[in-house]
Amino acid sequence: MTLSTRSPRLVRGRRGLFVYLGVAYLGMWAAMSPLLLGGYHRGDAREETDALQQVCIAAAMLAPALAAVLVVRLVERGCRVRDTLALRWPGPWGRTLPSCLTAFAVPCGLTAAALALGTLAGRYPFGGVHWSGLGGWAAGAVLGMLVWLPLFFGEELGWQGYLFPRLAGDGGRRSLVRAYAATGTAFALWHLPTLLMGGQYPGRPWYVSVPAMLVSCVLILPVFTWLRLRSGSVVPAVIGHAFVSSISVGMVKEFADPTAALDPLHMGMAGWPGWIATGAFVAFLALTGRLRPSFHARRGIGELPAAPMDVRPGQTARSR
């Protein structure tokens, strides 16, 4: 009698997904508990974070990576963490710098398009470009992004390094659609504690901010995934995410009338102008096949690591 190895591997793979999501979500709630218990609520988009808030945010950002490493080490086993989570420089070496620059330029272009759309619609209070101080502001913004950059590995090692490849499965059309939608949704709902405190959409109730965050994350996630697929590395996704969460937000403030109120729901990447700009770019990526791992695998890069649940009988994870 021949024993099938498929079912146990599927069970182990599903268990890994549940463990990953459990640790990532619990880590987020635990990290944000001091602010939640203290009754913190953000009421102004221009409000800066204090020391306690920065510590809580940093701890929360590390949770997805911790969850991914624990699952790879203790649940899936037999896999090298760096290879499984694509924790390597973009390759080949001649593409390393272009891949990183693309991860910087694309979110910058999308943010500029979103600000332009908001301005044309009369919802973004554009205050003009102050060329004399623009260089200093840009240098400071890039430096601030680089300081926070290591923490964004904490998020993307989880979402792009672990979760998306597991959900993508065999790379078929249905699997990919499910993976993009499910990963984007999980990514958005992971932010629930901050949304309840007005983090991304200050002044908005949860029943407005949560759906808005769902739209934002489901749209931006394919961009991060494309950066990861085309380079075979999670590093460009980290850079892209860091830009969207830091410099992009800074651009909204820098180019706005300093006396005007800012509403993220109507400006920048987190609002409907950003949804239009990002949606158009994602549509281009989808129509040209660039959101499929096979598109990049044909060029010798970007192939997603096989999940342990897909290992065939008689084949070990290391032998792949």
Side-chain angles (χ1 to χ4, degrees):
M1 179 174 63
T2 302
L3 296 176
S4 171
T5 59
R6 184 68 173 173
S7 179
R9 296 186 191 282
L10 281 170
V11 171
R12 185 175 64 176
R14 289 169 182 164
R15 184 168 65 245
L17 288 174
F18 287 126
V19 172
Y20 166 77
L21 291 172
V23 174
Y25 275 63
L26 286 173
M28 166 57 105
W29 282 92
M32 288 296 156
S33 60
L35 300 180
L36 289 166
L37 294 174
Y40 169 76
H41 191 81
R42 187 180 183 218
D44 187 350
R46 296 184 186 274
E47 181 180 332
E48 300 294 336
T49 55
D50 61 24
L52 175 61
Q53 293 160 20
Q54 291 180 7
V55 169
C56 292
I57 292 171
M61 293 173 70
L62 295 175
L66 174 62
V69 172
L70 286 175
V71 171
V72 173
R73 287 282 192 185
L74 303 179
V75 179
E76 296 181 352
R77 300 181 182 179
C79 300
R80 293 183 59 188
V81 172
R82 291 186 62 185
D83 292 339
T84 303
L85 304 183
L87 184 56
R88 52 178 173 264
W89 287 108
W93 281 108
R95 294 178 58 89
T96 299
L97 182 59
S99 293
C100 293
L101 291 177
T102 299
F104 191 94
V106 168
C108 183
L110 292 176
T111 303
L115 296 183
L117 286 171
T119 301
L120 292 174
R123 301 311 301 265
Y124 177 63
F126 182 63
V129 179
H130 307 290
W131 297 104
S132 60
L134 185 61
W137 172 83
V142 172
L143 179 61
M145 171 183 155
L146 293 176
V147 170
W148 280 87
L149 189 66
L151 292 175
F152 286 93
F153 279 91
E155 290 198 47
E156 292 306 321
L157 285 176
W159 309 119
Q160 296 295 337
Y162 179 82
L163 186 60
F164 180 83
R166 296 306 181 279
L167 296 177
D170 59 4
R173 183 176 180 179
R174 290 185 179 180
S175 296
L176 286 175
V177 171
R178 181 175 63 246
Y180 281 115
T183 306
T185 300
F187 179 39
L189 295 180
W190 178 78
H191 291 85
L192 184 58
T194 62
L195 292 170
L196 294 176
M197 293 184 289
Q200 286 78 9
Y201 300 94
R204 296 286 182 174
W206 68 267
Y207 52 81
V208 173
S209 61
V210 172
M213 193 65 175
L214 279 168
V215 175
S216 295
C217 289
V218 169
L219 285 174
I220 196 62
L221 183 120
V223 178
F224 297 158
T225 304
W226 167 69
L227 292 170
R228 181 251 186 273
L229 291 175
R230 71 189 299 271
S231 63
S233 166
V234 78
V235 173
V238 171
I239 295 174
H241 190 168
F243 188 101
V244 169
S245 295
S246 59
I247 297 181
S248 178
V249 176
M251 288 173 67
V252 174
K253 299 177 183 179
E254 173 66 18
F255 300 118
D257 182 339
T259 63
L262 300 180
D263 185 352
L265 193 62
H266 295 289
M267 56 192 68
M269 294 291 288
W272 62 262
W275 301 345
I276 294 175
T278 307
F281 185 67
V282 169
F284 162 75
L285 295 177
L287 291 173
T288 55
R290 287 173 168 82
L291 293 181
R292 298 181 179 181
S294 57
F295 178 93
H296 305 282
R298 289 196 297 269
R299 289 160 172 75
I301 56 174
E303 187 173 2
L304 291 172
M309 66 189 78
D310 292 326
V311 177
R312 293 185 293 272
Q315 184 180 28
T316 65
R318 287 187 181 275
S319 67
R320 297 193 68 155

